[in-house]
Amino acid sequence: MNANGRQRCRFCQRPDKFNFHVPDEIWGKVVPSAFDGAALCLFCFDAFAEARGVEYASSLGELCFAGDKAVFEFSVKNRVAL
């Protein structure tokens, strides 16, 4: 965690401003075993998914942004992979 209490991504070490959820099955296909169980930011998770050819958009169940001045909870309605 950094000084303001926000967790950091274990891969890139940047403050993690997005909270997201995918099923364990998708997480296991995307995340290298060295980072299993670690906090990862959405950007690194997405990069791992791209590198491993895993489509996760249809499995994204929760997406929240926690900024310094505001918090936004997004409703995932249309799950389309690019």
Side-chain angles (χ1 to χ4, degrees):
M1 292 211 183
N2 63 11
N4 67 1
R6 182 172 287 134
Q7 69 183 6
R8 291 187 173 271
C9 174
R10 284 280 306 274
F11 185 74
C12 71
Q13 298 302 313
R14 288 181 286 198
D16 185 8
K17 293 190 174 200
F18 283 96
N19 185 35
F20 65 100
H21 180 266
V22 294
D24 292 343
E25 177 185 346
I26 298 295
W27 184 270
K29 290 179 181 178
V30 170
V31 178
S33 60
F35 297 101
D36 190 33
L40 292 178
C41 70
L42 184 55
F43 298 104
C44 289
F45 181 85
D46 185 72
F48 286 137
E50 174 67 20
R52 292 179 173 213
V54 177
E55 185 281 311
Y56 70 91
S58 63
S59 299
L60 190 63
E62 175 185 312
L63 180 60
C64 301
F65 172 78
D68 295 324
K69 297 289 184 185
V71 175
F72 300 94
E73 187 172 324
F74 297 94
S75 178
V76 182
K77 292 184 179 185
N78 190 7
R79 298 174 176 103
V80 178
L82 298 178

